[in-house]
Amino acid sequence: MDYYGSNIQRLIEALKVLPGVGTKSAQRMAFHITAMPEEEVRALADAITNARKNVHFCKVCQTVTDDEICPICRSKRRDHRQIMVVETSRDLAAYEKTGHYEGVYHVLHGSISPMLGIGPNDIRLKELLTRLQNLDEEKADEGSMTESELIVATSATVEGESTAMYILKLVKTLELPIKVTRIASGVPVGGDIENIDEVTLERALRGRTELK
Amino acid sequence: MDYYGSNIQRLIEALKVLPGVGTKSAQRMAFHITAMPEEEVRALADAITNARKNVHFCKVCQTVTDDEICPICRSKRRDHRQIMVVETSRDLAAYEKTGHYEGVYHVLHGSISPMLGIGPNDIRLKELLTRLQNLDEEKADEGSMTESELIVATSATVEGESTAMYILKLVKTLELPIKVTRIASGVPVGGDIENIDEVTLERALRGRTELK
């Protein structure tokens, strides 16, 4: 039913394509927009079109960025022999916020999920492979002895784990001289043991480390 | 920190002005937008600017609409001697959805709230008054004997109640020959008595009706 006239109705429908926005919140947003100062509304509309039009992916690590190559990949202070594979640019930001990672990244933009029909060719694995092969050649050129490391930091879900396994297999098949590691899975800091699921507890137990 | 480049960062900030959108959901929306088909993005941006630019308020009842006068106020099948006062166009839509109201509306676009600094002049009370006075004259012209009714359907909050009291006082002071009623307040249908607050229960008790 069209109780608000076609302009607002169209806006409500358009807002509903956004993730986490249902009819009620779309309505609330639409009415908020009609009451906003006109220049703020224009800024919002411009930000939407500009972000879509000017979105670039870093040529090296594939994260979203303004330029050809992102600031992290350009930085001389980062360890370019340590590459962390993450699913999304948001995951990259999460690791950056810890302030404890000195290496570089590779953003897959998804994870392998046969359920959703997402195969290895639908995420940026080809780019990772090319990158690892180049790293191999560079290393031969430089005669460097430091070993490269690929930290697979995909999430601890079925899809994330499958993607990690796939990457490991790929590196082994191509006999790339790079160490593949996986982030630890276990009890989250501050978590009550009694509220944690069995699979996580079993992982925490299996991944126990010696206290020295 | 700017991990995503300025375009996406700007979009995240712009989205955060919308009600109910925090940093996390703005990020999720922003990345969704960068991955959306370009024409869908343009449609969203256009819907936003158009809704703001073309928003009209019905000259009679003040609800948002496409034309000068809204379909309800234009309708000959509605009872124009029964006016329901609501706070927002969304409230109007809620009553329309019941399908049990045959009268017309008046949308205040807010309620009196000294806490938020919203006084009687900040909501569309002046328009309501003009309308009631015209109704009075029309009635005299037509020699009609049917009494007009003003149903105050503002919400059962402190602000809604104060607004209702203010309207009643106004009608009385100006000696307008119109009956003012207030929607019933009580136990919501399907609600468990034990989970209902005391104020609502007391209202439900005070407002009891005889079963016949």
Side-chain angles (χ1 to χ4, degrees):
Chain A
M1 283 287 203
D2 181 4
Y3 301 112
Y4 309 124
S6 60
N7 281 300
I8 294 197
Q9 207 56 49
R10 244 197 312 269
L11 177 55
I12 292 171
E13 293 308 317
L15 288 168
K16 273 163 69 181
V17 306
L18 297 177
V21 180
T23 308
K24 288 256 165 178
S25 30
Q27 279 178 7
R28 228 184 4 246
M29 287 178 187
F31 279 100
H32 185 91
I33 288 169
T34 59
M36 260 160 64
E38 204 150 349
E39 62 275 13
E40 227 176 271
V41 174
R42 207 167 322 115
L44 174 60
D46 287 350
I48 288 172
T49 19
N50 287 339
R52 175 64 184 81
K53 219 188 314 182
N54 303 329
V55 66
H56 284 296
F57 298 103
C58 169
K59 275 200 164 176
V60 182
C61 76
Q62 310 295 325
T63 194
V64 289
T65 185
D66 286 339
D67 314 297
E68 288 264 285
I69 293 174
C70 79
I72 296 174
C73 287
R74 272 199 317 254
S75 169
K76 289 218 166 74
R77 284 190 296 171
R78 311 289 298 223
D79 181 357
H80 291 262
R81 299 222 161 266
Q82 199 173 36
I83 302 174
M84 186 193 279
V85 180
V86 291
E87 291 178 17
T88 65
S89 293
R90 274 177 289 157
D91 292 355
L92 178 155
Y95 282 109
E96 277 301 284
K97 276 175 201 153
T98 68
H100 283 287
Y101 180 61
E102 312 268 274
V104 293
Y105 294 91
H106 187 87
V107 182
L108 292 176
H109 292 282
S111 50
I112 297 170
S113 167
M115 283 275 287
L116 297 171
I118 303 170
N121 293 327
D122 301 318
I123 60 176
R124 309 212 175 182
L125 270 173
K126 209 174 61 222
E127 289 85 350
L128 176 64
L129 221 60
T130 319
R131 205 172 153 191
L132 293 181
Q133 279 159 339
N134 288 345
L135 199 72
D136 193 22
E137 280 162 28
E138 271 173 42
K139 200 170 143 186
D141 287 353
E142 289 176 26
S144 152
M145 290 311 287
T146 42
E147 198 180 15
S148 301
E149 184 182 358
L150 190 69
I151 307 171
V152 185
T154 52
S155 44
T157 56
V158 179
E159 292 80 15
E161 297 288 359
S162 324
T163 311
M165 287 306 108
Y166 189 91
I167 292 172
L168 178 67
K169 220 176 64 188
L170 219 57
V171 169
K172 279 193 174 160
T173 315
L174 296 169
E175 292 179 350
L176 295 170
I178 189 165
K179 186 167 77 178
V180 181
T181 58
R182 180 90 174 96
I183 48 161
S185 186
V187 181
V189 178
D192 259 333
I193 297 288
E194 61 169 351
N195 297 324
I196 294 168
D197 65 290
E198 295 132 52
V199 186
T200 304
L201 281 185
E202 199 230 305
R203 286 259 184 108
L205 191 62
R206 256 200 290 142
R208 66 189 180 275
T209 51
E210 198 185 339
L211 293 174
K212 277 183 237 185
Chain B
M1 285 288 204
D2 181 3
Y3 301 113
Y4 309 125
S6 60
N7 281 300
I8 293 194
Q9 206 57 48
R10 244 196 313 268
L11 177 56
I12 292 171
E13 293 308 316
L15 287 168
K16 273 163 70 180
V17 306
L18 297 177
V21 179
T23 308
K24 289 256 165 178
S25 30
Q27 279 178 6
R28 225 180 11 240
M29 286 177 187
F31 279 100
H32 186 92
I33 287 169
T34 59
M36 259 160 63
E38 205 149 349
E39 63 276 13
E40 228 176 90
V41 173
R42 207 168 320 118
L44 174 61
D46 287 349
I48 288 172
T49 20
N50 287 340
R52 175 66 183 81
K53 220 188 310 181
N54 303 328
V55 67
H56 284 295
F57 298 104
C58 170
K59 276 201 162 175
V60 181
C61 76
Q62 310 295 325
T63 194
V64 290
T65 185
D66 285 339
D67 314 296
E68 289 264 285
I69 293 173
C70 78
I72 295 173
C73 288
R74 272 198 317 254
S75 169
K76 289 218 167 73
R77 285 190 296 171
R78 312 287 298 222
D79 180 356
H80 291 261
R81 300 223 160 263
Q82 199 173 36
I83 302 175
M84 187 193 279
V85 180
V86 291
E87 292 178 16
T88 64
S89 293
R90 275 176 289 155
D91 292 354
L92 178 154
Y95 282 109
E96 277 301 284
K97 276 176 201 153
T98 68
H100 282 289
Y101 180 62
E102 311 268 275
V104 293
Y105 295 91
H106 187 87
V107 182
L108 293 176
H109 292 282
S111 51
I112 296 171
S113 168
M115 284 276 286
L116 297 172
I118 302 169
N121 293 326
D122 300 318
I123 59 176
R124 311 213 173 181
L125 270 173
K126 209 174 61 222
E127 289 85 349
L128 176 63
L129 221 60
T130 319
R131 205 172 154 192
L132 293 182
Q133 280 159 337
N134 288 344
L135 200 70
D136 192 23
E137 282 163 27
E138 271 172 43
K139 201 170 142 186
D141 287 353
E142 289 175 26
S144 151
M145 290 312 286
T146 42
E147 198 180 14
S148 302
E149 182 181 0
L150 190 69
I151 307 171
V152 185
T154 52
S155 43
T157 57
V158 179
E159 292 80 17
E161 296 287 359
S162 324
T163 311
M165 286 308 109
Y166 190 89
I167 291 172
L168 179 65
K169 220 175 63 188
L170 219 57
V171 170
K172 279 192 175 164
T173 316
L174 296 168
E175 293 181 348
L176 294 170
I178 190 166
K179 186 167 77 178
V180 180
T181 58
R182 179 92 175 96
I183 48 161
S185 185
V187 180
V189 179
D192 259 334
I193 297 288
E194 61 169 352
N195 298 324
I196 293 168
D197 66 289
E198 296 131 51
V199 186
T200 304
L201 281 184
E202 199 230 305
R203 288 259 184 109
L205 193 62
R206 257 201 289 143
R208 66 190 179 276
T209 50
E210 196 185 341
L211 292 174
K212 279 182 234 181

